[in-house]
């Protein structure tokens, strides 16, 4: 953290630059989602657009954390707290991914577009037991 | 008392204490929002309906992103100004931050308000996939005509007396039966009385708590058991009031509790008798086996019949003359259909009469056949013919039947939605051809959903499919697009008054209806949950930063470094709020 007057003056320029970058990348996010020649993958929204959008968001978030929240030079204890929060957040996400492979709850056929075949009864791992 | 290590760092951690505190708090916040984001992921991965991709107007979200990023910059500038002991600059930067927070909440409010006022209906019945076509739009207004039937009125008159949203169930009520065991009817009774007007609502039969006390009570000391007041509680013809229902309810409950007491006393007297006769050991066996005991039971039963009070748990009132009761759909236990002879309210009150024609009337700003298509594909059917067979595209509107041209040879028998759909198919054809050159195909959204700006564009060409095709081919079709101001918070029915097609949905066709609130689907549930919680964070953060701005002067003069540290900590929270929005914006608005 810049504590001298000189250091703070320098830091202010950096903050402005990062702010501008964040503005620019917000525009990029919207363009990737809406402008046709920037629409990667299939036409319209698909997993490629989701990945790109989330990568840009992650990049922007990293900038905010490193510069605005001063994580580019912090004490070790702060990193410990930060990683702790992150690990728990990702644990929540992992749980969801894990449930996706749960054969008892979600044993019915799923279409390629992610929807269940509602016309067929859901079955358990042994192939019996209907939804109704 | 002096709080330690709030200005200077502790030696062991290298940090001032409030920073340790805020980071611990932020770690818990990351986990909280992580949980909510994983909730979003779960709902989306397992949604059994087409997820509303890019369903929100982008512009308010985009402006809010800029606003929050801007405020993140000004909040670090405010901190830097304090570090350089520039109070004036600190004030300016902090004030801008607060203005940004206010602007963010105002835009959020506009967005929420648009959602609360926007209606969606999933249609039902008919076809191989139970229809499932979805229409979105804006409810029109109606009132009761002189004949007691529903009449549409202009939206300008929505504040007039007796005007309601055209999504009500009308019942010609001739009788009400209230259930006295459900003590929740006050609001309903008030509403019924308010709407009754000059009609009289009177008790059909006298309400009595019956007691045959003149008959013999045997060896039981009935004076202890039966209260002396057991006469008629309400006369035949008594007018319905809340007080009357309360009285009847009290009498009913009193009778019940009296009966309970009597039964218990009888049982205990019988048990005493048998223990005296046969002794403790034999009593139980005797109850099961011996005829003498059965006789005793019959004898007791007769006495019980005499001594218990009997009161009806239901009271019926008749209405003279019958009047039209306007009910909200949510007041009914189950869906009502036209010509039903009764409806039941949530408190089990039975309204007998006749359900009148009570359609939902709305200006439609989007057609969505994605669910229909999804269900058709599940049945291995081609979605397009199934869509063309839905009620929405095939029905004949009521008001068209009186059309002068209806019988002439060149009459266009298609309803307005079929015309829109045909235009959409023409647009889709042009789009398919255009994308084919790039080796691409239209998305499901393109195919099966007609947005508000498309409806307006097709309407602008008089719903002429050929023109739509030519203009689409030439890429001159005028669509409002994502960033137009007139669709700032979605389809604008004020600017485009009368341009959105008029639809009357008969009650029987309404499968499920809701505004765009958590009730409509899980997308809006998670949208309101996350953005609502995020909005609360914005308010909380603004309050803290506002406190530093308006009450910080004294601290600045006595210990400026302390205030700078406070602003840094408040700023860290503010950046976190920005950080959450950086993810929320693309996830909720663009994906």
């Amino acid at each position: 953290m810049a504590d001298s007057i000189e250091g703070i003056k320098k830091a202010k320029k950096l903050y402005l630059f990062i702010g501008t970058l964040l503005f620019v990348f917000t525009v990029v996010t919207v363009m990737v989602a809406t402008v046709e020649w920037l629409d990667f993958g299939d036409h319209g929204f698909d997993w490629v657009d989701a990945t790109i959008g989330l990568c840009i968001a992650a990049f922007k978030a990293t900038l905010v954390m490193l510069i605005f929240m001063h994580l580019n030079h912090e004490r070790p204890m702060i990193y410990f707290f930060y990683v702790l929060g992150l690990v728990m957040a990702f644990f929540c996400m992992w749980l969801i991914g894990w449930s996706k492979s749960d054969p008892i709850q979600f044993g019915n056929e799923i279409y390629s577009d992610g929807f269940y075949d509602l016309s067929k009864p859901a079955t358990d791992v042994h192939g019996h037991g209907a939804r109704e | 008392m002096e709080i330690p290590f709030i200005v200077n760092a502790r030696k062991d951690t290298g940090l001032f204490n409030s920073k340790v505190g805020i980071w611990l708090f932020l770690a818990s916040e990351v986990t909280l929002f992580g949980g909510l984001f994983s909730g979003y992921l779960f709902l989306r991965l397992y949604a059994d309906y087409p997820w509303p991709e890019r369903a929100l107007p982008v512009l308010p979200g985009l402006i809010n992103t800029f606003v929050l990023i801007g405020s993140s910059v000004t909040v670090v500038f405010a901190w830097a100004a304090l570090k350089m002991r520039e109070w004036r600059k600190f004030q300016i930067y902090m004030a801008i931050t607060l203005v940004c927070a206010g602007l963010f909440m105002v835009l959020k409010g506009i967005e929420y308000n648009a959602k609360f006022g926007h209606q969606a209906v999933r249609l039902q019945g008919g076809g191989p996939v139970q229809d499932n076509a979805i229409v979105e739009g804006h409810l029109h207004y109606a009132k009761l005509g002189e004949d007691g039937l529903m009449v549409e009125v202009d939206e300008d008159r929505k504040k007039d007396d007796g005007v309601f949203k055209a999504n009500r169930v009308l019942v010609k009520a001739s009788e009400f039966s209230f259930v006295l065991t459900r003590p929740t009817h006050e609001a309903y009774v008030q509403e019924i009385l308010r709407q009754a007007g000059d009609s009289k609502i009177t008790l059909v039969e006298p309400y009595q708590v019956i007691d045959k006390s003149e008959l013999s009570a045997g060896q039981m000391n009935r004076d202890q058991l039966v209260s002396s007041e057991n006469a008629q509680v309400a006369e035949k013809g008594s007018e319905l009031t809340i007080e009357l229902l309360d009285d009847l309810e009290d009498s009913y409950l009193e009778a019940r509790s009296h009966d309970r007491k009597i039964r218990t006393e009888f049982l205990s007297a019988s048990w005493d008798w048998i223990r005296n006769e046969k002794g403790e050991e034999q009593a139980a066996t005797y109850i099961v086996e011996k005829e003498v005991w059965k006789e005793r039971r019959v004898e007791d039963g007769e006495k019980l019949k005499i001594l218990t009070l009997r009161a009806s748990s239901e009271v019926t009132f008749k209405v003279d003359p019958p009047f039209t009761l306007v009910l909200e759909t949510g007041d009914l236990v189950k869906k009502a259909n036209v010509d039903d002879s009764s409806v039941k309210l949530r408190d089990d009150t039975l309204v007998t009469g006749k359900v009148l024609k009570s359609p939902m009337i709305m200006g439609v700003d989007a057609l969505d056949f994605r669910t229909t298509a999804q269900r058709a594909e599940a049945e291995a059917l081609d979605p397009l013919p199934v869509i063309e067979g839905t009620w929405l595209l095939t029905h004949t509107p009521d008001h068209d039947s009186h059309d002068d041209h209806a019988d002439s040879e060149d009459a266009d028998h298609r309803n307005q939605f079929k015309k829109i759909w045909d235009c959409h198919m023409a647009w889709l054809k042009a789009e398919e051809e255009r994308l084919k050159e790039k080796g691409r195909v239209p998305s499901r959204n393109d195919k099966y959903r007609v947005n508000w700006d498309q409806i307006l564009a097709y309407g602008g060409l008089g719903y002429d499919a050929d023109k739509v095709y030519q203009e689409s081919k030439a890429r001159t079709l005028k669509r409002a697009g994502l960033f137009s101001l007139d669709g700032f918070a979605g389809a604008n029915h004020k600017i485009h008054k009368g341009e959105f097609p008029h639809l009357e949905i008969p009650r029987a066709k309404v499968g499920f209806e809701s505004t765009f609130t958590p009730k409509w689907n899980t997308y809006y549930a998670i949208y309101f949950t996350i953005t609502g919680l995020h909005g609360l964070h914005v308010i909380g953060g603004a309050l803290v930063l506002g406190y530093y701005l308006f009450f910080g002067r004294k601290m600045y003069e006595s210990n400026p470094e302390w205030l700078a540290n406070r602003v840094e900590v408040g700023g860290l929270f503010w950046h976190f709020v920005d950080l959450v929005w950086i993810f929320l914006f693309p996830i909720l608005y663009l994906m």
Side-chain angles (χ1 to χ4, degrees):
Chain A
M1 196 185 326
D3 266 340
S4 65
I5 302 286
E6 276 309 301
I8 288 176
K9 275 186 181 158
K10 249 173 90 178
K12 276 172 77 172
K13 278 187 191 143
L14 180 65
Y15 295 149
L16 256 191
F17 175 66
I18 295 301
T20 319
L21 264 189
L22 291 174
F23 270 86
V24 170
F25 275 95
T26 303
V27 175
V28 171
T29 313
V30 176
M31 283 175 70
V32 166
T34 56
V35 177
E36 196 170 315
W37 55 269
L38 277 174
D39 180 6
F40 299 98
D42 291 337
H43 177 68
F45 175 78
D46 61 355
W47 69 271
V48 182
D49 301 305
T51 312
I52 294 173
L54 286 177
C55 283
I56 298 174
F59 174 67
K60 281 165 70 185
T62 312
L63 287 183
V64 171
M65 287 187 293
L66 285 182
I67 310 301
F68 289 161
M69 298 174 90
H70 305 138
L71 275 184
N72 51 354
H73 48 250
E74 259 307 349
R75 303 283 168 174
M77 188 183 232
I78 299 292
Y79 291 108
F80 171 72
F81 292 153
Y82 171 66
V83 170
L84 187 72
L86 221 56
V87 165
M88 301 217 276
F90 276 104
F91 174 72
C92 297
M93 309 264 177
W94 173 77
L95 270 182
I96 303 303
W98 194 43
S99 78
K100 188 92 179 153
S101 71
D102 179 354
I104 300 167
Q105 188 72 37
F106 298 110
N108 47 352
E109 201 176 313
I110 295 173
Y111 285 114
S112 56
D113 58 0
F115 301 122
Y116 301 116
D117 183 350
L118 292 173
S119 62
K120 288 177 193 146
T123 52
D124 66 15
V125 69
H126 308 293
H128 40 61
R131 184 194 292 272
E132 257 31 84
Chain B
M1 192 190 89
E2 195 164 319
I3 312 166
F5 306 115
I6 42 169
V7 177
N8 298 313
R10 255 173 81 128
K11 273 214 175 84
D12 52 353
T13 59
L15 297 158
F16 56 93
N17 276 355
S18 26
K19 200 163 184 180
V20 178
I22 192 74
W23 271 104
L24 262 178
F25 176 61
L26 288 185
S28 74
E29 290 275 83
V30 169
T31 314
L32 171 66
F33 277 95
L36 287 170
F37 276 110
S38 56
Y40 167 88
L41 198 66
F42 180 82
L43 293 175
R44 179 157 191 168
L45 288 176
Y46 296 116
D48 59 354
Y49 62 98
W51 192 255
E53 282 162 14
R54 296 179 188 171
L56 304 175
V58 176
L59 203 49
L62 179 61
I63 296 174
N64 268 348
T65 312
F66 287 147
V67 165
L68 275 194
I69 291 174
S71 71
S72 257
V73 176
T74 53
V75 89
V76 278
F77 270 50
W79 167 76
L82 274 187
K83 279 281 193 187
M84 288 156 73
R85 307 289 181 262
E86 297 169 323
W87 174 254
R88 192 79 206 143
K89 278 193 179 169
F90 162 74
Q91 280 185 308
I92 294 169
Y93 287 130
M94 206 45 125
I96 298 175
T97 310
L98 292 182
V99 169
C100 286
L103 188 60
F104 182 91
M105 290 314 293
V106 168
L107 284 172
K108 201 89 245 160
I110 292 174
E111 251 183 278
Y112 274 20
N113 191 41
K115 297 276 160 284
F116 295 149
H118 199 197
Q119 180 75 34
V121 188
R122 195 179 66 223
L123 301 168
Q124 74 168 11
V129 295
Q130 299 301 309
D131 212 309
N132 277 309
I134 289 167
V135 286
E136 299 171 12
H138 184 68
L139 278 177
H140 286 188
Y141 289 82
K143 66 177 181 105
L144 287 182
E146 277 174 18
D147 50 358
L149 296 175
M150 193 165 148
V151 191
E152 201 180 332
V153 296
D154 195 86
E155 191 167 343
D156 299 338
R157 292 175 55 197
K158 69 177 173 188
K159 296 241 164 76
D160 288 6
D161 267 355
V163 174
F164 48 84
K165 280 197 166 172
N167 182 22
R168 297 281 190 275
V169 174
L170 275 56
V171 187
K172 194 90 179 171
S174 55
E175 216 176 84
F176 294 103
S177 292
F178 296 97
V179 176
L180 296 175
T181 47
R182 295 283 307 266
T184 53
H185 40 59
E186 190 169 325
Y188 286 137
V189 179
Q190 267 169 356
E191 187 59 23
I192 288 166
L193 289 171
R194 195 183 66 76
Q195 293 191 27
D198 297 333
S199 296
K200 290 249 176 298
I201 307 176
T202 51
L203 198 58
V204 173
E205 283 170 354
Y207 189 81
Q208 288 165 317
V209 179
I210 297 162
D211 169 28
K212 296 172 183 168
S213 52
E214 67 275 11
L215 298 172
S216 158
Q219 80 253 47
M220 300 297 298
N221 182 6
R222 70 168 304 283
D223 290 341
Q224 288 170 356
L225 300 174
V226 188
S227 69
S228 56
E229 292 168 45
N230 44 47
Q232 184 165 305
V233 182
E235 289 169 27
K236 178 181 174 180
S238 306
E239 274 200 50
L240 173 67
T241 56
I242 290 168
E243 293 74 34
L244 176 65
L245 276 185
D246 281 349
D247 283 352
L248 300 185
E249 195 180 291
D250 288 346
S251 311
Y252 174 72
L253 291 179
E254 238 171 61
R256 289 287 298 270
S257 80
H258 168 263
D259 289 357
R260 270 198 299 277
K261 203 171 130 208
I262 288 244
R263 285 202 183 87
T264 312
E265 298 222 2
F266 259 91
L267 274 175
S268 106
S270 297
W271 182 243
D272 286 345
W273 174 79
I274 204 168
R275 269 196 320 191
N276 286 336
E277 294 277 310
K278 299 293 157 191
E280 197 91 26
E281 301 269 309
Q282 301 286 315
T285 340
Y286 192 79
I287 286 175
V288 179
E289 289 170 359
K290 296 293 186 270
E291 288 296 315
V292 186
W293 167 250
K294 283 182 189 156
E295 278 167 29
R296 163 86 200 187
R297 292 294 297 153
V298 172
E299 202 183 308
D300 278 358
E302 286 302 317
K303 280 183 197 152
L304 258 176
K305 265 192 210 161
I306 295 162
L307 287 175
T308 48
L309 305 171
R310 260 155 300 150
S312 167
S313 63
E314 243 181 67
V315 281
T316 305
F317 289 80
K318 72 172 190 303
V319 185
D320 187 39
F323 69 99
T324 305
L325 184 65
V326 180
L327 294 164
E328 294 202 24
T329 51
D331 292 340
L332 304 177
V333 172
K334 66 181 183 73
K335 267 190 62 177
N337 289 318
V338 178
D339 291 341
D340 280 358
S341 60
S342 66
V343 291
K344 205 174 230 186
L345 305 185
R346 285 265 165 124
D347 65 350
D348 282 350
T349 299
L350 194 72
V351 184
T352 313
K354 187 184 166 202
V355 178
L356 304 172
K357 207 174 139 201
S358 1
M360 277 183 85
I361 307 177
M362 60 200 282
V364 173
D365 58 40
L367 317 180
D368 196 330
F369 294 104
R370 283 179 298 172
T371 310
T372 313
Q374 182 195 327
R375 300 289 149 90
E377 280 161 6
E379 302 283 328
L381 297 167
D382 181 2
L384 287 180
V386 174
I387 290 170
E388 306 235 329
T390 54
W391 172 83
L392 186 65
L393 301 188
T394 51
H395 76 280
T396 316
D398 269 358
H399 55 265
D400 275 12
S401 55
H402 307 296
D403 204 306
D404 293 340
H405 307 288
D407 296 327
S408 65
E409 269 183 30
D410 57 345
D412 192 349
H413 290 290
R414 299 175 303 164
N415 71 38
Q416 208 164 5
F417 299 94
K418 175 73 169 121
K419 290 178 194 166
I420 293 173
W421 182 248
D422 288 345
C423 289
H424 187 67
M425 285 295 103
W427 170 82
L428 188 66
K429 189 171 164 232
E431 187 72 357
E432 259 168 359
E433 289 166 2
R434 187 177 69 79
L435 288 172
K436 203 175 173 188
E437 291 165 18
K438 301 177 181 174
R440 291 179 153 198
V441 287
S443 66
R444 288 179 77 85
N445 265 12
D446 292 342
K447 275 188 191 166
Y448 301 128
R449 192 183 151 84
V450 190
N451 278 317
W452 68 271
D453 56 338
Q454 284 171 302
I455 290 181
L456 290 181
Y458 304 154
L461 297 173
Y463 300 123
D464 184 331
D466 291 336
K467 274 192 201 157
V468 170
Y469 177 74
Q470 283 155 15
E471 297 245 342
S472 308
K473 203 69 184 154
R475 307 208 69 181
T476 51
L477 187 72
K478 282 192 194 70
R479 277 180 71 175
L482 279 175
F483 304 106
S484 74
L485 277 177
D486 96 41
F488 185 73
N492 193 325
H493 287 253
K494 281 202 184 100
I495 297 178
H496 300 288
K497 199 173 179 186
E499 289 178 55
F500 290 112
H502 183 272
L503 178 64
E504 274 192 36
I505 311 170
R507 246 331 113 185
K509 291 292 170 197
V510 178
F512 179 70
E513 50 94 6
S514 165
T515 49
F516 283 78
T517 48
K519 184 184 163 192
W520 177 234
N521 60 31
T522 51
Y523 171 78
Y524 287 99
I526 197 75
Y527 162 79
F528 279 108
T529 309
I530 305 193
T531 58
L533 190 67
H534 179 263
L536 287 178
H537 278 71
V538 172
I539 293 171
L543 285 177
V544 170
L545 296 179
Y547 177 76
Y548 299 152
L549 173 60
F550 297 114
F551 300 99
R553 179 77 202 181
K554 219 169 133 190
M555 184 182 271
Y556 176 74
E557 277 161 4
S558 62
N559 193 346
E561 197 57 22
W562 187 3
L563 184 64
N565 282 351
R566 280 191 161 189
V567 170
E568 186 185 354
V569 163
L572 279 173
F573 177 75
W574 195 254
H575 296 309
F576 171 76
V577 171
D578 182 24
L579 208 94
V580 171
W581 187 256
I582 284 178
F583 284 102
L584 277 185
F585 173 59
I587 287 174
L588 294 175
Y589 290 76
L590 301 171
M591 291 181 184

